[in-house]
Amino acid sequence: MLLKTLFHLLGAIQFCYGCYYDAVYVNIPGSAAPTLGGKLKYLTYLDAIVQSIYFTIAFLNDLFGNNESTLSEKPLIRRIKDILFCALAYPVAMFVGISFWGIYAVDRELILPRSLDPYFPTWLNHVMHTNIVIFVLIELISSFRMYPTRKSAMTILSTFFLAYFIWVHVIYFKTDKWVYPILAVLNWPIRIVFYLFCLGFVSSLYFLGEKLNRIVWSKEVERTVKSGKKKAK
């Protein structure tokens, strides 16, 4: 229990500091990136905020909530923690990490041009794009959560991504610059296909997380379901 609490505290401190450092000390010249939206134009930064919120809530839940695998007497902070991890923290972190390093391996100029290296330190890059994956995977295997209904989780996840796609285009139409260089090399039909692929990919990551949770925590899931049926009777 103590190790889990310290892990959540480390995650909260790490991602909060990463967001703070990025916002205060990483100043990219306007010629290198559109200024509208500030850091909030990047999915990486939005995800880091999500991770900061999640690990802070997880830490507070360790102190004041309940980590038991039961539906009864489940405090509000625990319910928020569970749905936040399932619907956003896990799938978005996996999406950001996999897509970033995947594109980086093909051509880093499409995702993080070398011209930005003087402004974006390597350690921060790993906090934002590597540690997010490591921490949510450790969280998945070290803390039990009961997944919400697919409808509610997918509604939250889809709304988050659709809102971000709209936000990216608002920035483009206001500044005539794409947030990510990769979008500039795609024509509109291919760009739409790219967005649909991203939405499908992050959805598959959600289902993968749900399946992994069921495998890792099979006994707890079964116990929770039985507890819920007894309570319903």
Side-chain angles (χ1 to χ4, degrees):
M1 180 62 183
L2 177 59
L3 287 177
K4 186 184 297 184
T5 302
L6 291 176
F7 171 71
H8 289 150
L9 178 60
L10 176 61
I13 292 173
Q14 174 186 202
F15 296 120
C16 285
Y17 181 72
C19 290
Y20 165 76
Y21 187 95
D22 195 358
V24 176
Y25 296 106
V26 179
N27 298 309
I28 300 174
S31 59
T35 56
L36 181 65
K39 305 295 180 179
L40 296 177
K41 61 180 169 284
Y42 297 116
L43 183 60
T44 292
Y45 192 82
L46 293 174
D47 175 55
I49 292 176
V50 170
Q51 303 307 319
S52 300
I53 294 172
Y54 172 76
F55 279 96
T56 298
I57 291 175
F59 173 67
L60 293 175
N61 179 69
D62 291 337
L63 298 179
F64 309 110
N66 186 330
N67 286 299
E68 297 299 322
S69 56
T70 174
L71 290 176
S72 61
E73 300 180 1
K74 202 175 189 183
L76 177 61
I77 191 171
R78 168 69 186 281
R79 296 199 297 271
I80 294 174
K81 167 182 174 286
D82 285 357
I83 195 168
L84 181 58
F85 180 87
C86 302
L88 287 180
Y90 173 82
V92 177
M94 295 297 292
F95 177 86
V96 168
I98 294 173
S99 60
F100 175 85
W101 290 114
I103 296 173
Y104 190 99
V106 174
D107 184 357
R108 68 163 295 181
E109 294 301 313
L110 295 175
I111 195 72
L112 185 67
R114 288 181 175 81
S115 60
L116 301 185
D117 286 349
Y119 312 101
F120 199 76
T122 301
W123 69 264
L124 183 59
N125 183 24
H126 284 297
V127 167
M128 297 292 197
H129 301 115
T130 306
N131 292 6
I132 52 169
V133 174
I134 295 173
F135 270 67
V136 294
L137 287 176
I138 293 176
E139 176 68 0
L140 187 144
I141 64 176
S142 64
S143 296
F144 169 73
R145 82 280 310 148
M146 194 66 191
Y147 263 64
T149 63
R150 286 184 177 179
K151 181 179 180 180
S152 60
M154 289 303 298
T155 297
I156 294 172
L157 181 60
S158 299
T159 300
F160 178 86
F161 264 78
L162 289 174
Y164 182 69
F165 291 154
I166 293 172
W167 176 225
V168 165
H169 284 79
V170 168
I171 294 173
Y172 172 72
F173 289 123
K174 292 287 186 179
T175 66
D176 199 32
K177 293 180 181 179
W178 290 106
V179 172
Y180 297 104
I182 189 174
L183 296 176
V185 301
L186 304 177
N187 58 36
W188 278 102
I190 296 179
R191 195 174 295 125
I192 292 174
V193 172
F194 176 73
Y195 292 148
L196 292 175
F197 170 79
C198 289
L199 198 55
F201 182 44
V202 76
S203 297
S204 69
L205 290 171
Y206 166 80
F207 293 124
L208 176 62
E210 183 183 61
K211 185 173 183 178
L212 289 175
N213 184 72
R214 225 175 254 162
I215 293 173
V216 174
W217 301 100
S218 57
K219 293 181 180 179
E220 285 75 6
V221 170
E222 185 178 352
R223 188 183 305 124
T224 302
V225 171
K226 288 181 178 178
S227 175
K229 289 181 178 179
K230 288 181 180 179
K231 186 178 180 181
K233 291 179 180 179

